[in-house]
Each structure stands twice: as C-alpha cells, then as structure tokens.
Amino acid sequence: MTDPELTYEEATARLEAIIKRLDSGEAGLRETLDLCREGRGLVELCAAELEAVGQGLEELRLNELVARLQAGAG
Amino acid sequence: MAQPGSAAPAGIDGSLLPGPFAVGHYAARMREYLRARTHVQLFGEVWNLRVSRAKVYFELRDAAGALPCSMWRGDFDALVLGDGALADGSQVVVGGGLDYYVGSRTSSPAFSFAISALRVAGEGDLLAQLDRLRRTLDAEGLFAPQKLLRRPALPRTIGVVTGEGGKARDDVLAGLARRGWAGRIVWAFAPVQDRHAAPRITRAVQDLAATGAVDVIVVARGGGSLADLFCFCDETLCRTIALLGVPVIASVGHHTDRTLIDDVAALSCSTPTHAAESAVPVHCAQARAEAVAVARRLGVHSSRAVLHRAQTLVRLSRAPGEHVARERARLHQGLREMRASGRRRASGEQARLARRALVLERRARAAALDARRATGLQAIAMALAAHDPDRTVRRGYALVSDRAGDVVTTGTAARAAGDITLRFGDGPVDATITPDR
C-alpha cells in the first residue's frame, strides 16, 4: 500500500529502490508482485504530483491568496 | 537684476520679496555664491560610485547625512588608484568646495561638492558593520537553520518576493518555464532598493510563510550597486529569514555581490532564473517521461515474473509424464535389446548344437566305421587266428626255431642249426640236434 503522505522525492527514491530490487532478479514471485503493486501506486502518486504542476501556471498576488484561504476557511 | 533680452513679468501681488528675477541669472549668482564659500576637507563613505567619460560621481555619506560629490575625470585618473581601491563603502577624505551646475532649458541643474583632491582612508564603516553583523549572525548559528529545511523537489506553490516592475519577475517566470513547471506562483511585491525596502521585504516573507500554502520562497532582485542591495543586509530581515519554517532561495544582485540574505538563506543563486530553477529541481517533462518508463518497467517485471513461473510450472507438470515416457522407452529399448540378445544367443546355441550334432554325427559315423572295421578286423583276426601257429602248437604240435628265433621248417635246417628251440603249447624247450645214427 502506498503512503499518501509520501513526498515526490521520497516516492521517486522508493521507486528507484524497487526497480533496482526487481532488476537484481533476486525477488521471489510474492515479493515481485508486491513490489510491482507498490511501484504502480508510487508511479500514480508521482504522476498526480506532476499533473498538479502541469495544468497551467496560476499567478496570484499574496493578498489574493490570503483572501482565498480566508474564504476557504470561512 | 534685469535680464537682457527678456522682459520680466509682474511680480506677485502683495509680495514684499524682491524680483521676479530670471532663474538662469539667479542660478548663476547662486553658483558664484557657492563657489565663494571656503574650500574644506570632508570625510565619509563612498556610495553610488559612477564613472562617466567627463566626471566621477558619488555620494559621500555618514550616519548623519550625505553630500553629492563630483570630480573631473582627469583629476580622478591622475590619482592612479588601483582597481577596486575606490568602491561603494570606501572611506575617503576629499578636498574641494561647493559648486552648482546651473543647467539650461534642456538640462537639469545639479548641486555637488566639487572635489579637487581625494585620499582613500580605508574600509567604510558600513562595510565594517556588515562584517560585524555577518560574524554575529554566524556565531549565533543563524546561517544553518534554513539549510536544514527540506526543499521539495516538486513544489506546488512558490512564493516570490521581488520588485513589481523589475526584470527579476520575468527572469523567475523564464526559469520556471524552463523546468516545465506550471503550478501556482504567489507574488509578494515589495520595494527592493530604498530605505523602506527591508521592512517591506521582511513582511512579505513572513506573510508568505504564514499562509502555510507556500512550499518555497524566492527572494529575487537584479544587479545593482552595493548601496542598492544594502536592504538585503538588514538584520531584522536576515534574522526573520533564518528562523522561517519555509525554505528561502535568495538571488540578490550578481554573483560578485554577497549580501547577508545570501548567507542566511537555504540557497543562494547568482540570478533570478537560476533561483527559479533551483526552486524546482525536477524537470517536469523529463520526470513525466521517466514515470511512464518506470510504469512500463514495472509491467514488464510483473508479467515476466508470472509468465516465467507459469512456464516453469508447466515444465514441472510435464516432467512426471516425460519421465514415465522416458522410462517406458528405456524399458522398450531394453526389451528389444534383450530379445535381440536372446535371439542372438539362441541362434548361437543353435549353431553350436548344430556344430555338436555334426560332430556327433561325424563321431557316430566314425564309430560305425570303427565298428565295421572292428568287425572286419575280427574276421581278419579270426582268420588270422585260424592260421595262428600257436593255435596249432596248443593242439599238441611244436614250433621249431633256431636260437636266433627263425623258424626251422626242415630237418636239414635243423641239423644245420644244431641248437634249436621247440616251442610247445605250454612253453619252449631248447634242444640240440645230434648227428644222424
């Protein structure tokens, strides 16, 4: 199961470790399937992070952000 | 003070002041007045040093005030100062007097202290203060906290503190575009040069961090003189940034300029573009391609693991049947070999028996022949026996022989032999022939 609190860099670091383990050919069937499942979750997390900064630049002034946050909090 | 060539307008109603006078005339008189003041020596720090083709300009400052100064380029070059000997912050002693450029219809007037002599006295107080402050902040460990903060590889929201109309804004956007980053950017515009700049920058940084929605803050300003950048050495600003919970990337001035914010920030960059790139270490387009490649590799590993093992299982499941088949084939082969061997053995035995039968037959034939021969021989023997002298002897006859054993068959031969042997059936008897009577 992928930890939703993982940061992008933590996710990519874990993915590198998973690929390295799989490439070694030392993982058994159960471990391989578990690693692949975990890896797919991490890829989805990374893709979501990349998607969040790929939708188009949004420019705000500080007071606009503050107003938006206050509106959201209210 | 009438001015030739132009008629003076009427003065202000009710005013007791003299005039009106033509301004150019008044300016010229003021220049004369100022130039008549006593020439003196002054000391202070050089700021905003500018060297033009004709003149060298700077401001002479200390804590209580400042005076614009100018020096003819020829006089300045005659001092033969080394490179960098006179720079912003340099402590100098200057000699000269007040002067006033009266200007014209097309040029602005300028007041200055006209310098005729200059001596560099040493490092400026402001720079010395800067160094002291730098050492103090360093000793308090305030250069470290920002550098210990985690800087996200892929921030979603970036706060930027910069001048609203400055080129740094465009440079930051260019740096982010180069990374392929298109998230949320929050501008906190603030003056970045005058004496009001430091508190406004401090406030902007604090407010950005207080939103809790900003992952990293970039403080950017283009190049300028050290005096222009001095607001970024403000102690309150530097202490605020040092203790801020959000990482700050500073890009103030050029790489040759080193302000205190560069020391306390998480990262110091030479240009706003570089600062923006540093705020997003990941190249987004490249990272997307890598994510796709990783997903593909995971799929390959997953299917290969299952497929490989399925093939192994199939191979293993076939193994017993194949083993039985191999055993069966081996047994059949053994059986065939055994039968062939039996046939070979039977055939050999048969041949051997045939050979033996042949031998026996031959022997039988030989034996029959022998029997026949024996019968013949017996007949011969019987025939011989019929003629055997011993048989005659055994019937009472005697066989005469001389002593040499030769048979004596006549009386003459007996007389000639003299000594003879008479062989009877029961044994020989020697005899001697006596002469005839």
Side-chain angles (χ1 to χ4, degrees), chain A residues 55-70:
Chain A
Q55 293 294 307
L57 192 68
E58 180 189 11
E59 294 187 70
L60 290 177
R61 285 175 176 263
L62 176 57
N63 56 353
E64 291 171 330
L65 174 66
V66 172
R68 191 181 290 187
L69 292 172
Q70 285 172 342

PDB file of all heavy atoms in Angstrom, chain A residues 55-70:
ATOM      1  N   GLN A  55      -0.857  21.815 -15.054  1.00  0.00           N
ATOM      2  CA  GLN A  55      -2.165  22.242 -15.575  1.00  0.00           C
ATOM      3  C   GLN A  55      -2.148  23.653 -16.147  1.00  0.00           C
ATOM      4  O   GLN A  55      -3.129  24.088 -16.724  1.00  0.00           O
ATOM      5  CB  GLN A  55      -3.208  22.167 -14.451  1.00  0.00           C
ATOM      6  CG  GLN A  55      -3.495  20.746 -13.991  1.00  0.00           C
ATOM      7  CD  GLN A  55      -4.153  19.919 -15.081  1.00  0.00           C
ATOM      8  OE1 GLN A  55      -5.155  20.303 -15.656  1.00  0.00           O
ATOM      9  NE2 GLN A  55      -3.552  18.782 -15.397  1.00  0.00           N
ATOM     10  N   GLY A  56      -1.067  24.369 -15.932  1.00  0.00           N
ATOM     11  CA  GLY A  56      -1.024  25.768 -16.393  1.00  0.00           C
ATOM     12  C   GLY A  56      -0.670  26.670 -15.225  1.00  0.00           C
ATOM     13  O   GLY A  56      -1.179  26.477 -14.114  1.00  0.00           O
ATOM     14  N   LEU A  57       0.207  27.609 -15.493  1.00  0.00           N
ATOM     15  CA  LEU A  57       0.687  28.492 -14.430  1.00  0.00           C
ATOM     16  C   LEU A  57      -0.462  29.339 -13.875  1.00  0.00           C
ATOM     17  O   LEU A  57      -1.215  29.934 -14.633  1.00  0.00           O
ATOM     18  CB  LEU A  57       1.782  29.409 -14.994  1.00  0.00           C
ATOM     19  CG  LEU A  57       2.587  30.186 -13.964  1.00  0.00           C
ATOM     20  CD1 LEU A  57       3.438  29.242 -13.139  1.00  0.00           C
ATOM     21  CD2 LEU A  57       3.471  31.209 -14.674  1.00  0.00           C
ATOM     22  N   GLU A  58      -0.567  29.343 -12.557  1.00  0.00           N
ATOM     23  CA  GLU A  58      -1.572  30.186 -11.909  1.00  0.00           C
ATOM     24  C   GLU A  58      -0.834  31.259 -11.115  1.00  0.00           C
ATOM     25  O   GLU A  58      -0.052  30.941 -10.228  1.00  0.00           O
ATOM     26  CB  GLU A  58      -2.434  29.338 -10.961  1.00  0.00           C
ATOM     27  CG  GLU A  58      -3.489  30.135 -10.245  1.00  0.00           C
ATOM     28  CD  GLU A  58      -4.198  29.354  -9.151  1.00  0.00           C
ATOM     29  OE1 GLU A  58      -3.715  28.250  -8.813  1.00  0.00           O
ATOM     30  OE2 GLU A  58      -5.202  29.837  -8.630  1.00  0.00           O
ATOM     31  N   GLU A  59      -1.054  32.499 -11.460  1.00  0.00           N
ATOM     32  CA  GLU A  59      -0.367  33.602 -10.781  1.00  0.00           C
ATOM     33  C   GLU A  59      -1.339  34.323  -9.856  1.00  0.00           C
ATOM     34  O   GLU A  59      -2.423  34.726 -10.268  1.00  0.00           O
ATOM     35  CB  GLU A  59       0.212  34.584 -11.800  1.00  0.00           C
ATOM     36  CG  GLU A  59       1.318  33.982 -12.643  1.00  0.00           C
ATOM     37  CD  GLU A  59       1.994  35.024 -13.518  1.00  0.00           C
ATOM     38  OE1 GLU A  59       2.701  35.883 -12.974  1.00  0.00           O
ATOM     39  OE2 GLU A  59       1.803  34.966 -14.744  1.00  0.00           O
ATOM     40  N   LEU A  60      -0.900  34.465  -8.617  1.00  0.00           N
ATOM     41  CA  LEU A  60      -1.721  35.156  -7.622  1.00  0.00           C
ATOM     42  C   LEU A  60      -0.871  36.192  -6.912  1.00  0.00           C
ATOM     43  O   LEU A  60       0.342  36.014  -6.782  1.00  0.00           O
ATOM     44  CB  LEU A  60      -2.212  34.162  -6.549  1.00  0.00           C
ATOM     45  CG  LEU A  60      -3.247  33.111  -6.910  1.00  0.00           C
ATOM     46  CD1 LEU A  60      -3.488  32.229  -5.693  1.00  0.00           C
ATOM     47  CD2 LEU A  60      -4.536  33.793  -7.318  1.00  0.00           C
ATOM     48  N   ARG A  61      -1.513  37.220  -6.474  1.00  0.00           N
ATOM     49  CA  ARG A  61      -0.834  38.120  -5.549  1.00  0.00           C
ATOM     50  C   ARG A  61      -1.063  37.590  -4.132  1.00  0.00           C
ATOM     51  O   ARG A  61      -2.027  36.862  -3.883  1.00  0.00           O
ATOM     52  CB  ARG A  61      -1.384  39.541  -5.671  1.00  0.00           C
ATOM     53  CG  ARG A  61      -0.906  40.260  -6.926  1.00  0.00           C
ATOM     54  CD  ARG A  61      -1.565  41.603  -7.067  1.00  0.00           C
ATOM     55  NE  ARG A  61      -1.021  42.320  -8.212  1.00  0.00           N
ATOM     56  CZ  ARG A  61      -0.053  43.229  -8.120  1.00  0.00           C
ATOM     57  NH1 ARG A  61       0.492  43.524  -6.954  1.00  0.00           N
ATOM     58  NH2 ARG A  61       0.391  43.843  -9.201  1.00  0.00           N
ATOM     59  N   LEU A  62      -0.165  37.982  -3.256  1.00  0.00           N
ATOM     60  CA  LEU A  62      -0.234  37.474  -1.886  1.00  0.00           C
ATOM     61  C   LEU A  62      -1.601  37.764  -1.265  1.00  0.00           C
ATOM     62  O   LEU A  62      -2.197  36.885  -0.635  1.00  0.00           O
ATOM     63  CB  LEU A  62       0.887  38.100  -1.048  1.00  0.00           C
ATOM     64  CG  LEU A  62       0.901  37.749   0.436  1.00  0.00           C
ATOM     65  CD1 LEU A  62       0.964  36.249   0.650  1.00  0.00           C
ATOM     66  CD2 LEU A  62       2.090  38.428   1.133  1.00  0.00           C
ATOM     67  N   ASN A  63      -2.117  38.979  -1.469  1.00  0.00           N
ATOM     68  CA  ASN A  63      -3.405  39.305  -0.845  1.00  0.00           C
ATOM     69  C   ASN A  63      -4.539  38.462  -1.435  1.00  0.00           C
ATOM     70  O   ASN A  63      -5.499  38.122  -0.741  1.00  0.00           O
ATOM     71  CB  ASN A  63      -3.709  40.804  -0.963  1.00  0.00           C
ATOM     72  CG  ASN A  63      -3.672  41.279  -2.398  1.00  0.00           C
ATOM     73  OD1 ASN A  63      -3.295  40.509  -3.293  1.00  0.00           O
ATOM     74  ND2 ASN A  63      -4.053  42.516  -2.640  1.00  0.00           N
ATOM     75  N   GLU A  64      -4.390  38.097  -2.715  1.00  0.00           N
ATOM     76  CA  GLU A  64      -5.410  37.232  -3.320  1.00  0.00           C
ATOM     77  C   GLU A  64      -5.376  35.841  -2.700  1.00  0.00           C
ATOM     78  O   GLU A  64      -6.421  35.229  -2.441  1.00  0.00           O
ATOM     79  CB  GLU A  64      -5.187  37.126  -4.831  1.00  0.00           C
ATOM     80  CG  GLU A  64      -5.469  38.418  -5.571  1.00  0.00           C
ATOM     81  CD  GLU A  64      -5.033  38.345  -7.031  1.00  0.00           C
ATOM     82  OE1 GLU A  64      -4.060  37.612  -7.335  1.00  0.00           O
ATOM     83  OE2 GLU A  64      -5.646  39.026  -7.851  1.00  0.00           O
ATOM     84  N   LEU A  65      -4.186  35.352  -2.456  1.00  0.00           N
ATOM     85  CA  LEU A  65      -4.054  34.036  -1.823  1.00  0.00           C
ATOM     86  C   LEU A  65      -4.637  34.076  -0.413  1.00  0.00           C
ATOM     87  O   LEU A  65      -5.373  33.159  -0.027  1.00  0.00           O
ATOM     88  CB  LEU A  65      -2.576  33.612  -1.775  1.00  0.00           C
ATOM     89  CG  LEU A  65      -2.297  32.319  -1.008  1.00  0.00           C
ATOM     90  CD1 LEU A  65      -2.931  31.115  -1.714  1.00  0.00           C
ATOM     91  CD2 LEU A  65      -0.793  32.082  -0.849  1.00  0.00           C
ATOM     92  N   VAL A  66      -4.297  35.136   0.290  1.00  0.00           N
ATOM     93  CA  VAL A  66      -4.808  35.254   1.670  1.00  0.00           C
ATOM     94  C   VAL A  66      -6.323  35.297   1.655  1.00  0.00           C
ATOM     95  O   VAL A  66      -6.992  34.609   2.449  1.00  0.00           O
ATOM     96  CB  VAL A  66      -4.225  36.522   2.346  1.00  0.00           C
ATOM     97  CG1 VAL A  66      -4.895  36.770   3.689  1.00  0.00           C
ATOM     98  CG2 VAL A  66      -2.716  36.375   2.535  1.00  0.00           C
ATOM     99  N   ALA A  67      -6.897  36.082   0.729  1.00  0.00           N
ATOM    100  CA  ALA A  67      -8.360  36.193   0.654  1.00  0.00           C
ATOM    101  C   ALA A  67      -8.969  34.838   0.326  1.00  0.00           C
ATOM    102  O   ALA A  67      -9.999  34.434   0.899  1.00  0.00           O
ATOM    103  CB  ALA A  67      -8.739  37.230  -0.412  1.00  0.00           C
ATOM    104  N   ARG A  68      -8.324  34.124  -0.584  1.00  0.00           N
ATOM    105  CA  ARG A  68      -8.836  32.801  -0.977  1.00  0.00           C
ATOM    106  C   ARG A  68      -8.789  31.831   0.197  1.00  0.00           C
ATOM    107  O   ARG A  68      -9.718  31.079   0.433  1.00  0.00           O
ATOM    108  CB  ARG A  68      -8.010  32.257  -2.150  1.00  0.00           C
ATOM    109  CG  ARG A  68      -8.587  31.064  -2.800  1.00  0.00           C
ATOM    110  CD  ARG A  68      -7.747  30.565  -3.921  1.00  0.00           C
ATOM    111  NE  ARG A  68      -7.758  31.444  -5.084  1.00  0.00           N
ATOM    112  CZ  ARG A  68      -7.194  31.153  -6.240  1.00  0.00           C
ATOM    113  NH1 ARG A  68      -6.541  30.022  -6.372  1.00  0.00           N
ATOM    114  NH2 ARG A  68      -7.244  31.979  -7.255  1.00  0.00           N
ATOM    115  N   LEU A  69      -7.674  31.879   0.939  1.00  0.00           N
ATOM    116  CA  LEU A  69      -7.544  30.993   2.095  1.00  0.00           C
ATOM    117  C   LEU A  69      -8.560  31.329   3.166  1.00  0.00           C
ATOM    118  O   LEU A  69      -9.147  30.437   3.782  1.00  0.00           O
ATOM    119  CB  LEU A  69      -6.121  31.087   2.667  1.00  0.00           C
ATOM    120  CG  LEU A  69      -5.004  30.516   1.784  1.00  0.00           C
ATOM    121  CD1 LEU A  69      -3.638  30.847   2.367  1.00  0.00           C
ATOM    122  CD2 LEU A  69      -5.165  29.012   1.644  1.00  0.00           C
ATOM    123  N   GLN A  70      -8.770  32.646   3.353  1.00  0.00           N
ATOM    124  CA  GLN A  70      -9.766  33.042   4.362  1.00  0.00           C
ATOM    125  C   GLN A  70     -11.167  32.612   3.934  1.00  0.00           C
ATOM    126  O   GLN A  70     -11.962  32.165   4.761  1.00  0.00           O
ATOM    127  CB  GLN A  70      -9.706  34.567   4.562  1.00  0.00           C
ATOM    128  CG  GLN A  70      -8.479  34.999   5.370  1.00  0.00           C
ATOM    129  CD  GLN A  70      -8.310  36.505   5.413  1.00  0.00           C
ATOM    130  OE1 GLN A  70      -8.887  37.221   4.601  1.00  0.00           O
ATOM    131  NE2 GLN A  70      -7.492  36.970   6.343  1.00  0.00           N
TER     132      GLN A  70
END
